[in-house]
Amino acid sequence: MAANVRVRRPATPPPGLPHVAPSSHKYPPIRQDHLSADERREAASKGYGPGRRSHSPGGLNITSGEWKLLAVVLLIALGVRMFRISKPDSVVFDEVHFGKFAARYIKTRYFVDVHPPLAKLLITAAAFLSGFNGDFDFKEIGKVFENVPYVAMRMVPATFGVATIPIAYLTIRALDCRATTALLASIFLTFENGLVTQSRHILLDSPLVFFTALTVFFFVGFSNEDKKEPFTNQWWTWLALTGLSLGAVVSCKWVGLFTIATVGVCTMLQLWLLLGDLRVSPRMWARHFFARAVCLILIPVLFYMIMFQLHFLILGSSGEGDAFMSSEFRQTLGLGMEDTYADVALGSDITIRHLNTQGGYLHSHSHNYPGGSGQQQVTLYPHRDDNNLWRVLNATVNNYEQYDYEHKPIVYIDHGSHIKLRHLVTDRGLHSHEVRPPVSDVDFQNEVSAYGMPGFIGDINDDWVVEIEKGDSSDKESSKRLRTLRTHFKLRHLNTGCYLFSHKVKLPEWGFDQQEVTCNKNAVKENSLWYVETATKHPQLSADAPKVNYKIPGFLSKFWELQQVMWTTNAGLTDRHMYDSRPLTWPRLRRGINFWVKDHRQIYLIGNPFVWWSSTASVITYMIVRGFLLLRAKRGYRDFDNTKVVKYDSLCGFLFIGYCMHYFPFFLMGRQLFLHHYFPALYFAILLNCAVFDLATSTLRPKIRLQIAAVLMIIAIITYSKFSSLAYGNPWTKQKCSNAQWVKTWDFACNEFFDDYSQYSGVTVPTLNRSTPMATIGGEPGGRAAIVVEDKLGQDGVVPPEDEQSTAVPIGVPEPGRDVFAKDEQKEIKSQMRILQDVPVNNVDEKEISAVTFEPTRATPEEGKEEVKVPAGGMSATGGSEGQARPEVIGILEKEIEVELGENAEDHQKSHGPLDHEEAIADQVAHELYPEARDVE
């Protein structure tokens, strides 16, 4: 049959429209970024919504408009963090420690700190490049900076604080949240008062939070790349950057270990899911495992060790940290010991070190115990000194004569030898008896002293028995007789049977804070072991007698020893503290930390209550909702088949794990803790807060979602502004301070502020030099009214000493930071009334402390004048050393006034009379106090 079919031509387009050629395909081509049904099902199981493959690096789909918005947020954060960063111009809180450490780095003097070196090195670099020479000592809070580029040093943590804001924005976007949510997170972090306060000073928490945020961002980016396609160049880049960031965060503070734990838990979960994926072969799974092991374990460890290598290279000189390290370690600090003779015999002059506590050398000095026997003190002293030298002599029990070691054959010290130890400087013997020690006053401890006099051979209580415990495997003789550096031995008291012993107990001030030495009948073996460090040439030894010295440790030995010292010291920070807190109080912001009080201003670390409490509420909400979903799943509900539920459960679960890992480990710590330890956990809580917001507003129109976010941001900014004076140390009023105490445990120093802002305009920061001090007569309870007169003796050639402005403090308030590495035991310095008749006014040696203290400050209308107040028969000073000016003159004056008043003294002690009457009395007292000034007038 003939094909009589006519092919229909395409329809003619309407007039005015171009002709479109027909497509050669019956169906449109398959797009390369389209997901198949299996791929959509797999994506849904992982929490992804229906869509197309994303090829943006790390899963970041950032538009150009968002980059502009992020730039604006960055400028706002820069202004918030950098505003008045030069104020105050004095030491704040723990700048006492970390500023001092920067000075030690520049001076290359060795120190020990419980924190790794990265953040301190960055601060030191800024100081060095700005010309700091390390001479300023950062001795106490409130000390005015002199020739210190403190602004440049503060800029380092402030810059890290600013950089945290865009990192948080990008992290929220990488977690597949909306731009509105990311903006909310960045604003919350920008106006979080606690983070602002902490980032404006020479402290380590701001770099810690930054590297924590950076690690989270890199790991989220890596996870997004891993879901798309593993083992690509971008995949390796994100994974390696995560490892480097992990090394950086743990190199700032050991709290970074919690960040490592967070990434570790999530990585194990990823590997567990890969193990259950039958499409992943065992060989491919092994590649995943080893790639993560190298990048997330090896790279952080190498980075951490490199930081300590830099630490050791810079600190090549002896410093205050020497006493914490072993003698081998100290050999590398410029105090290398010369080779010493290996043999110890009767007549050898030796130094003896305690093996276990690193307390130092067996030591004595010409100071007696205030109690007990009252004999000469014997202690452990950590530094080399002539008072560490002892001469080994034979015991004289049973009337043995003193051995003539100079002419008779040499006698080595063997196991069981009976000896005496004679202190060379004071010529007294090491002695013990049945007298309780002054500090460890228990029955099984006996006092150890230095007893005797020149020419006195000693008694039985001076005799000791050498018991060799072990020797060096490389020196066989060291196990048989006493050998320098090689033999560990004990000294048993011949008469009482106790062992020479020392432990980590410091003597009081009368013992110069040195370590206690006793004779212990129940001695722990580790604390009763000693060794000879040096032995001078014995008269009977030849010039070529064998010598020994410490082995120079390598980097790994030094690194491991320092980690042990840091761990031990960190665990030992258990003293209670006025501003410490426990983890249970952190989420509810029960209390802050007083950083600085001076010049009617205060810096107080307190968080933004709205941001803080809403974040805590979000954490609690997630736990409740997650528990409810688990109960529903147990009853057969299939909530987790919902793509939206799976997505937000994965997102919020990751942030919740980070929060828990950075918060709950603190409950296991017995050491001293502060509110700022919560900041890394707070970062995760804020991100979780915003993730909850993203879920709650997911069904709303974008405009409404933005309006809700704007309201939340405005509330956060208003709350921030209400407490901003405490962050910047700005002028504030007592009324506003009292109104801001929303919680009764927020102990702001409201009495320090003026009643009105106008009063700040006439107040300037006092200078260090005061030419016209003031003196106050009277003012005692029940006595005459206080009378302020000029101390004109200062103009007659007796210039009061210079004073430094220090932070005031209520009596009994402990310091907010304590330098555990100071040579002297830290003591609190209190301001107390002194009775002149009983207590002389003497110069008191200052102790190095880190204390924020405050007591009511009295405003003086005349600039640069110092008040010196004289209570009844006593004297105290607001300016320290100026309070010692001429107490005798004031005491004589008061006696003269009492004689002059006679029987009417009681009436005159009452505060009465009009103002002109008090001025007349003031004028009279001034003329009596300074008659030469009256003659001049």
Side-chain angles (χ1 to χ4, degrees):
M1 183 174 82
N4 191 16
V5 178
R6 186 179 64 178
V7 178
R8 180 177 296 181
R9 63 180 178 84
T12 303
L17 293 180
H19 176 74
V20 179
S23 175
S24 60
H25 299 281
K26 184 175 181 180
Y27 301 101
I30 298 177
R31 300 182 58 172
Q32 295 298 321
D33 60 350
H34 184 72
L35 295 177
S36 65
D38 292 336
E39 290 173 332
R40 287 198 302 271
R41 189 179 301 108
E42 180 184 359
S45 67
K46 294 183 179 179
Y48 298 132
R52 300 166 181 171
R53 295 186 182 95
S54 174
H55 296 281
S56 56
L60 284 172
N61 295 312
I62 307 295
T63 64
S64 59
E66 286 188 76
W67 288 116
K68 296 176 182 178
L69 176 63
L70 190 56
V72 173
V73 173
L74 189 62
L75 290 176
I76 295 174
L78 191 67
V80 170
R81 295 303 196 273
M82 301 296 179
F83 176 69
R84 286 172 52 88
I85 198 170
S86 62
K87 301 298 180 182
D89 60 349
S90 56
V91 180
V92 175
F93 192 53
D94 276 349
E95 289 183 338
V96 165
H97 304 312
F98 303 121
K100 179 181 66 176
F101 293 153
R104 296 293 184 271
Y105 273 125
I106 292 175
K107 292 290 188 180
T108 70
R109 295 175 182 171
Y110 187 78
F111 67 90
V112 174
D113 182 31
V114 296
H115 304 302
L118 175 58
K120 298 191 291 285
L121 288 172
L122 294 172
I123 294 172
T124 302
F128 179 76
L129 294 175
S130 300
F132 184 41
N133 57 12
D135 289 337
F136 189 77
D137 58 7
F138 294 86
K139 188 174 184 180
E140 58 186 359
I141 295 175
K143 184 172 183 178
V144 178
F145 290 115
E146 297 179 1
N147 300 320
V148 182
Y150 68 96
V151 173
M153 298 171 73
R154 287 176 177 173
M155 287 280 286
V156 173
T159 301
F160 282 116
V162 172
T164 304
I165 308 304
I167 294 297
Y169 184 98
L170 296 175
T171 301
I172 289 293
R173 293 293 285 124
L175 288 170
D176 200 22
C177 291
R178 298 168 179 84
T180 304
T181 306
L183 177 62
L184 182 65
S186 61
I187 292 298
F188 276 4
L189 288 168
T190 298
F191 293 98
E192 209 297 301
N193 296 64
L195 294 176
V196 171
T197 305
Q198 196 75 7
S199 65
R200 289 171 46 82
H201 304 290
I202 308 172
L203 304 173
L204 308 185
D205 294 273
S206 186
L208 173 70
V209 173
F210 168 77
F211 285 116
T212 300
L214 190 65
T215 301
V216 173
F217 171 63
F218 285 148
F219 185 72
V220 170
F222 161 73
S223 299
N224 291 337
E225 290 291 333
D226 188 55
K227 293 171 184 176
K228 186 181 70 173
E229 183 180 358
F231 301 109
T232 62
N233 291 335
Q234 289 187 1
W235 186 90
W236 281 108
T237 300
W238 285 97
L239 183 59
L241 289 175
T242 304
L244 288 173
S245 187
L246 283 174
V249 69
V250 76
S251 296
C252 289
K253 275 189 170 185
W254 276 356
V255 176
L257 291 171
F258 304 153
T259 308
I260 293 178
T262 302
V263 174
V265 169
C266 297
T267 300
M268 287 190 292
L269 180 60
Q270 289 178 350
L271 293 174
W272 178 255
L273 294 176
L274 286 173
L275 189 61
D277 192 343
L278 299 180
R279 295 170 299 178
V280 178
S281 65
R283 183 174 181 180
M284 180 63 69
W285 188 89
R287 287 186 63 190
H288 279 279
F289 176 83
F290 285 110
R292 286 166 169 81
V294 169
C295 292
L296 301 182
I297 298 177
L298 183 59
I299 289 180
V301 169
L302 291 177
F303 187 97
Y304 182 76
M305 297 177 71
I306 289 172
M307 292 301 103
F308 277 94
Q309 178 65 17
L310 292 175
H311 179 78
F312 294 143
L313 290 175
I314 295 173
L315 301 178
S317 304
S318 176
E320 60 187 16
D322 294 4
F324 293 87
M325 312 312 297
S326 66
S327 298
E328 291 85 353
F329 192 105
R330 295 171 67 181
Q331 289 289 101
T332 66
L333 299 177
L335 286 179
M337 184 182 72
E338 296 181 357
D339 292 348
T340 184
Y341 287 92
D343 290 307
V344 179
L346 293 180
S348 295
D349 296 340
I350 62 175
T351 59
I352 303 175
R353 282 188 69 96
H354 194 235
L355 181 65
N356 189 40
T357 63
Q358 298 295 337
Y361 300 87
L362 188 65
H363 176 92
S364 186
H365 41 237
S366 57
H367 296 273
N368 296 340
Y369 291 114
S373 66
Q375 296 175 3
Q376 185 170 297
Q377 299 173 14
V378 173
T379 65
L380 280 193
Y381 182 62
H383 306 289
R384 291 169 184 167
D385 187 86
D386 288 342
N387 281 322
N388 304 334
L389 287 172
W390 302 84
R391 178 164 294 165
V392 184
L393 302 175
N394 63 294
T396 56
V397 67
N398 298 329
N399 296 321
Y400 288 167
E401 295 183 356
Q402 191 68 58
Y403 187 76
D404 186 6
Y405 58 86
E406 293 185 359
H407 302 94
K408 292 185 178 180
I410 189 170
V411 177
Y412 296 112
I413 309 301
D414 303 321
H415 178 77
S417 295
H418 292 197
I419 64 170
K420 291 180 184 290
L421 291 175
R422 197 77 178 176
H423 191 243
L424 287 184
V425 176
T426 60
D427 199 13
R428 298 185 179 186
L430 185 69
H431 183 92
S432 185
H433 41 218
E434 290 288 350
V435 177
R436 303 286 81 77
V439 177
S440 299
D441 188 3
V442 290
D443 292 339
F444 57 85
Q445 297 263 33
N446 288 345
E447 179 190 86
V448 173
S449 63
Y451 172 70
M453 63 187 70
F456 177 65
I457 197 172
D459 58 24
I460 192 173
N461 284 327
D462 296 345
D463 294 344
W464 301 84
V465 180
V466 176
E467 296 182 1
I468 294 178
E469 185 68 25
K470 63 174 293 188
D472 194 300
S473 58
S474 62
D475 185 356
K476 296 182 180 180
E477 292 296 322
S478 62
S479 300
K480 302 175 183 178
R481 57 187 175 92
L482 215 58
R483 298 270 284 182
T484 306
L485 299 178
R486 302 289 188 260
T487 306
H488 297 167
F489 64 94
K490 297 189 289 187
L491 286 176
R492 177 170 55 85
H493 192 245
L494 182 61
N495 192 30
T496 62
C498 57
Y499 286 90
L500 190 66
F501 175 88
S502 186
H503 50 170
K504 291 184 178 181
V505 173
K506 298 287 186 179
L507 296 175
E509 188 174 353
W510 51 259
F512 307 97
D513 299 320
Q514 296 174 15
Q515 191 164 308
E516 182 185 40
V517 174
T518 64
C519 196
N520 195 328
K521 298 176 182 177
N522 300 326
V524 178
K525 175 182 175 181
E526 289 76 11
N527 286 345
S528 57
L529 291 178
W530 306 79
Y531 70 94
V532 176
E533 183 180 79
T534 63
T536 59
K537 183 180 180 303
H538 191 276
Q540 300 294 330
L541 288 177
S542 61
D544 58 349
K547 294 183 177 182
V548 293
N549 207 331
Y550 287 111
K551 297 178 181 178
I552 303 298
F555 166 74
L556 291 179
S557 298
K558 294 172 62 178
F559 171 79
W560 182 245
E561 180 179 342
L562 182 55
Q563 303 309 302
Q564 292 176 313
V565 170
M566 291 168 59
W567 177 270
T568 303
T569 308
N570 192 34
L573 300 177
T574 57
D575 294 342
R576 288 309 308 270
H577 185 279
M578 181 65 178
Y579 289 99
D580 69 357
S581 54
R582 299 310 300 170
L584 191 62
T585 66
W586 296 342
R588 51 194 174 101
L589 195 60
R590 182 178 181 272
R591 193 183 183 208
I593 306 173
N594 184 24
F595 269 21
W596 179 89
V597 179
K598 193 176 179 183
D599 306 327
H600 303 283
R601 294 168 172 85
Q602 183 183 22
I603 296 178
Y604 188 95
L605 180 70
I606 193 74
N608 186 316
F610 174 72
V611 175
W612 206 287
W613 291 334
S614 63
S615 301
T616 301
S618 297
V619 173
I620 297 173
T621 301
Y622 172 77
M623 291 191 294
I624 294 174
V625 172
R626 190 64 167 83
F628 180 69
L629 290 176
L630 288 176
L631 291 177
R632 283 175 56 87
K634 202 68 176 175
R635 297 296 299 173
Y637 291 92
R638 305 184 64 179
D639 297 316
F640 290 100
D641 289 345
N642 187 301
T643 303
K644 185 176 180 180
V645 172
V646 173
K647 169 190 171 181
Y648 283 102
D649 179 64
S650 301
L651 190 160
C652 296
F654 168 68
L655 297 175
F656 180 74
I657 290 174
Y659 176 84
C660 293
M661 288 296 179
H662 287 80
Y663 175 55
F664 288 107
F666 286 107
F667 284 91
L668 305 177
M669 298 183 186
R671 60 151 289 175
Q672 201 175 77
L673 297 173
F674 295 92
L675 181 65
H676 58 74
H677 288 110
Y678 183 68
F679 283 159
L682 176 65
Y683 177 80
F684 284 95
I686 292 175
L687 296 190
L688 180 58
N689 187 15
C690 297
V692 171
F693 165 84
D694 195 82
L695 171 62
T697 60
S698 59
T699 60
L700 301 178
R701 289 181 296 173
K703 183 178 180 180
I704 297 177
R705 184 188 307 113
L706 182 59
Q707 291 172 347
I708 296 175
V711 171
L712 296 177
M713 288 185 281
I714 291 174
I715 295 175
I717 294 172
I718 292 174
T719 310
Y720 153 81
S721 63
K722 189 172 184 64
F723 297 92
S724 61
S725 295
L726 294 175
Y728 299 108
N730 286 342
W732 218 16
T733 63
K734 293 180 180 178
Q735 184 62 37
K736 288 192 173 183
C737 178
S738 299
N739 293 339
Q741 287 181 307
W742 297 352
V743 180
K744 64 180 180 180
T745 50
W746 292 354
D747 48 352
F748 308 150
C750 292
N751 291 331
E752 279 294 301
F753 300 104
F754 283 125
D755 295 319
D756 191 79
Y757 284 110
S758 61
Q759 295 176 270
Y760 284 97
S761 60
V763 176
T764 58
V765 180
T767 58
L768 295 179
N769 297 323
R770 297 172 177 82
S771 58
T772 315
M774 303 293 292
T776 301
I777 305 300
E780 63 272 10
R784 62 182 184 276
I787 304 168
V788 180
V789 296
E790 291 187 4
D791 185 1
K792 297 186 178 181
L793 286 179
Q795 300 178 357
D796 296 334
V798 184
V799 181
E802 293 183 0
D803 181 33
E804 296 177 354
Q805 287 294 314
S806 61
T807 314
V809 71
I811 295 177
V813 174
E815 68 276 10
R818 179 170 64 93
D819 188 356
V820 298
F821 304 107
K823 297 176 183 177
D824 297 330
E825 183 179 358
Q826 306 303 312
K827 296 180 177 61
E828 178 186 346
I829 298 179
K830 301 180 180 179
S831 174
Q832 297 178 337
M833 301 297 183
R834 300 286 186 180
I835 305 302
L836 290 177
Q837 289 84 349
D838 298 329
V839 182
V841 181
N842 298 323
N843 292 327
V844 181
D845 295 336
E846 295 184 352
K847 297 292 181 183
E848 184 174 338
I849 61 172
S850 169
V852 173
T853 57
F854 57 89
E855 58 187 20
T857 304
R858 297 167 177 81
T860 320
E862 297 181 15
E863 180 182 351
K865 294 188 177 181
E866 175 75 1
E867 281 194 6
V868 181
K869 298 200 171 183
V870 185
M875 188 173 184
S876 70
T878 61
S881 59
E882 287 187 342
Q884 303 169 7
R886 296 165 296 285
E888 299 85 358
V889 176
I890 298 175
I892 295 173
L893 170 64
E894 291 191 350
K895 291 181 180 179
E896 292 178 354
I897 293 176
E898 291 177 1
V899 173
E900 180 180 353
L901 294 177
E903 298 177 354
N904 299 325
E906 295 182 358
D907 296 334
H908 283 277
Q909 289 179 353
K910 299 178 181 179
S911 178
H912 58 82
L915 181 61
D916 56 348
H917 176 69
E918 292 184 357
E919 291 177 350
I921 295 179
D923 188 51
Q924 175 186 357
V925 172
H927 288 322
E928 292 173 348
L929 182 59
Y930 308 109
E932 64 277 16
R934 177 183 59 187
D935 296 338
V936 173
E937 295 174 356

